[in-house]
Amino acid sequence: MESKPRVVIVGAGFGGLAAARALKRAPVSVVMVDQFNYHTFQPLLYQVATAGLEPEEIAHAVRGIFHRQKNFDFRLGKVVGADLGRRALRLHDGCEVAWDYLILSAGASSNDFGVPGVKEHAHFLKSLTEAMALRSHVIEQFEAAAGDPALIGRGALNFVLVGGGPTGVEMAGALVELIDRVLVRDYPHLDVSRSRVTLIEMTDRLLAPFHEKSRRHALAVLERRGVDVRLNEAVVEALPGGVRLKSGGTIPTRTLIWAAGVRANPLAGFLGLEQVRGGRVKVNPDLSAPGHPEVFVIGDMAGSTDPEGQLHPQLAQVAIQGGRHAVKQILRQIEGQPTREFVYHDPGVMATIGRNAGIAELPVLNLRFTGILGWLMWLFLHLMYLVGFRNRLNVFINWAYNYFTWDRSARLIIEPDLAGPAGERPAG
Ligand SMILES: Cc1cc2nc3c(=O)[nH]c(=O)nc-3n(C[C@H](O)[C@H](O)[C@H](O)COP(=O)(O)OP(=O)(O)OC[C@H]3O[C@@H](n4cnc5c(N)ncnc54)[C@H](O)[C@@H]3O)c2cc1C
């Protein structure tokens, strides 16, 4: 019996899921490999970090997503290398996964841009574990300050965010809301008004890819809501108790949130494929890797470009369209047809700054929405793109509840740091 070609997909992110779904009726077997057994909806990570949503509301078990797809199988494992000649992936446990066609969609990781101390002292927002750790850490600062108000003077309630892109803007907006509307009620004996959220951006603008009017709107809303926005500023060193600024000053803080950018997953380097800016893998116009027509690289990992030679933005839609495109090219190869080049259709960009304040830009219709309309569009589209009906329903109920009560989901500190001054945990 002739066996079906095996398509191996690395990564259960936006690109990987789109590719696997597109292969549903194809005459191939599909194996998806991911280091986690779930898909993470990264655009809502900041809501987990600010106690707006519970972690499981923005994640979905991969096997559950593909219940009904007969040609699909999942392998939990971290890819640590690959032999492109033998067409085999190497996993963390020493096992190998062989492919006929490979789709690499392992995403990106946070980029500290080599700023000293960032790796050691900053919080990142790339995974569910990081988002949950950040949520615990923020609440812990309030608990610590409630126990010893002198800590406020040493920066315990100063929260510094670096990076004025959508993640930094959304996180800053959600953080002031959490503090001013929720934590202020949790800590009635604490002078919560002394807390400060600072957003640092090295260029002269927030939300660089957006229209100038949207950018001005975002800046005005954040400042009105109490965020200290510092443009043309940068963190040059992160220390255990603060950050040093390019302008010369320092901000005492125990919480540095790094949203300054990403670099392609380190896997891009391990594979021995040529890399371009940001560590992204150089690809042919059809998204295949040079010299390896059966290997496709998509999403945040891929160095694909538009007709002007500009790298595509690292956005969910680029990954989704790339995944579908790679599948079409694999099927064309199986049928003996030549492959076609990838053309990205930009559906627009969106960001939210907080309650009743969002931005939606739709270039196809030449439309731009700010304020409550932009916010409602943001809510609707994020609900639609969440994986799983149950998650959508839970998130909808949670958002509605939060909106009308100004309350938030459980503000749990999962593992309180109760180390004593000598660094020892109390017994028991
Ligand atoms: C906080 C945040 C907010 C964002 N907001 C938006 C937004 O509002 N709109 C938007 O369009 N985009 C947004 N993005 C960007 C968007 O999430 C990415 O562009 C998109 O996820 C890229 O898809 P991908 O498939 O390339 O990778 P990912 O979705 O990152 O998926 C990569 C997968 O690969 C797995 N993986 C990684 N390394 C390995 C390995 N070695 N072995 C096995 N598995 C591995 C990971 O576990 C993950 O499941 C945001 C990103 C972040 C971090």
Side-chain angles (χ1 to χ4, degrees):
M1 195 180 75
E2 196 184 322
S3 67
K4 291 177 180 168
R6 187 188 227 202
V7 182
V8 173
I9 301 170
V10 178
F14 286 105
L17 288 194
R21 284 177 170 141
L23 285 164
K24 186 170 182 180
R25 291 192 180 80
V28 299
S29 69
V30 182
V31 179
M32 176 174 278
V33 184
D34 199 291
Q35 58 192 340
F36 300 118
N37 76 330
Y38 54 83
H39 161 78
T40 305
F41 191 81
Q42 292 178 18
L44 291 179
L45 278 174
Y46 83 94
Q47 295 218 358
V48 173
T50 52
L53 293 172
E54 295 298 339
E56 55 275 15
E57 289 170 346
I58 66 157
H60 203 298
V62 176
R63 288 183 186 273
I65 299 170
F66 292 98
H67 260 163
R68 295 204 188 95
Q69 190 163 329
K70 295 266 188 302
N71 65 354
F72 179 87
D73 198 7
F74 178 70
R75 173 72 156 88
L76 177 67
K78 184 171 172 107
V79 177
V80 293
D83 186 331
L84 294 171
R86 283 198 303 114
R87 298 188 178 182
L89 292 175
R90 208 169 50 255
L91 302 190
H92 69 288
D93 53 10
C95 289
E96 289 196 336
V97 178
W99 76 77
D100 295 304
Y101 296 93
L102 177 67
I103 299 179
L104 284 169
S105 184
S109 48
S110 302
N111 190 351
D112 64 9
F113 295 100
V115 176
V118 169
K119 205 179 289 160
E120 296 80 9
H121 304 301
H123 285 262
F124 300 97
L125 201 55
K126 225 17 216 148
S127 66
L128 267 191
T129 20
E130 287 174 347
M132 281 155 63
L134 180 52
R135 180 183 72 182
S136 290
H137 176 84
V138 169
I139 310 288
E140 254 181 328
Q141 301 320 302
F142 282 85
E143 288 298 338
D148 179 4
L151 291 175
I152 302 180
R154 304 212 292 273
L157 299 188
N158 289 347
F159 301 93
V160 176
L161 289 114
V162 176
T167 303
V169 166
E170 290 177 346
M171 184 71 201
L175 201 51
V176 280
E177 233 165 64
L178 173 71
I179 295 168
D180 293 351
R181 298 294 187 154
V182 183
L183 297 182
V184 73
R185 286 186 282 157
D186 283 0
Y187 299 90
H189 305 299
L190 187 66
D191 187 2
V192 169
S193 67
R194 289 176 67 198
S195 78
R196 192 151 47 112
V197 175
T198 306
L199 177 61
I200 295 177
E201 163 57 41
M202 68 185 293
T203 70
D204 62 355
R205 58 192 61 181
L206 297 178
L207 298 178
F210 288 71
H211 189 276
E212 198 203 326
K213 283 190 180 155
S214 307
R215 298 201 303 257
R216 278 209 304 267
H217 176 73
L219 179 62
V221 172
L222 282 182
E223 289 187 330
R224 205 164 52 235
R225 294 184 182 188
V227 178
D228 174 12
V229 181
R230 303 204 190 170
L231 302 176
N232 298 307
E233 180 61 281
V235 165
V236 291
E237 188 177 5
L239 306 158
V243 292
R244 269 198 328 109
L245 303 175
K246 187 183 79 176
S247 59
T250 58
I251 302 176
T253 181
R254 295 166 157 202
T255 315
L256 169 64
I257 303 167
W258 196 259
V262 293
R263 23 171 334 94
N265 189 299
L267 202 54
F270 301 158
L271 300 180
L273 296 167
E274 193 181 335
Q275 289 167 275
V276 295
R277 193 155 56 84
R280 293 159 77 168
V281 176
K282 184 175 176 181
V283 289
N284 294 320
D286 65 358
L287 297 184
S288 66
H292 299 279
E294 83 292 356
V295 176
F296 289 84
V297 189
I298 61 169
D300 284 2
M301 252 186 113
S304 58
T305 55
D306 63 19
E308 280 81 49
Q310 297 292 322
L311 284 169
H312 285 130
Q314 286 163 301
L315 292 173
Q317 268 301 325
V318 178
I320 291 169
Q321 292 179 31
R324 291 178 187 148
H325 178 85
V327 164
K328 282 189 190 141
Q329 306 326 301
I330 289 171
L331 299 179
R332 288 179 73 83
Q333 285 190 26
I334 291 173
E335 288 163 6
Q337 294 178 32
T339 58
R340 293 187 173 150
E341 75 180 77
F342 173 57
V343 180
Y344 172 57
H345 300 285
D346 180 7
V349 280
M350 288 187 164
T352 172
I353 312 146
R355 169 183 290 242
N356 296 340
I359 301 167
E361 296 185 353
L362 311 175
V364 188
L365 304 172
N366 204 15
L367 288 175
R368 194 166 42 77
F369 302 94
T370 53
I372 192 154
L373 215 53
W375 184 66
L376 288 173
M377 289 178 70
W378 181 93
L379 290 178
F380 176 74
L381 275 165
H382 280 70
L383 266 186
M384 288 303 96
Y385 274 102
L386 260 177
V387 176
F389 177 72
R390 188 190 156 119
N391 279 359
R392 271 183 227 136
L393 189 65
N394 282 342
V395 168
F396 177 72
I397 292 170
N398 224 331
W399 279 349
Y401 181 80
N402 294 354
Y403 188 81
F404 291 112
T405 63
W406 283 103
D407 201 1
R408 292 290 174 103
S409 64
R411 298 176 284 286
L412 310 182
I413 301 171
I414 299 299
E415 202 181 343
D417 182 4
L418 298 179
E424 284 174 11
R425 281 179 181 268

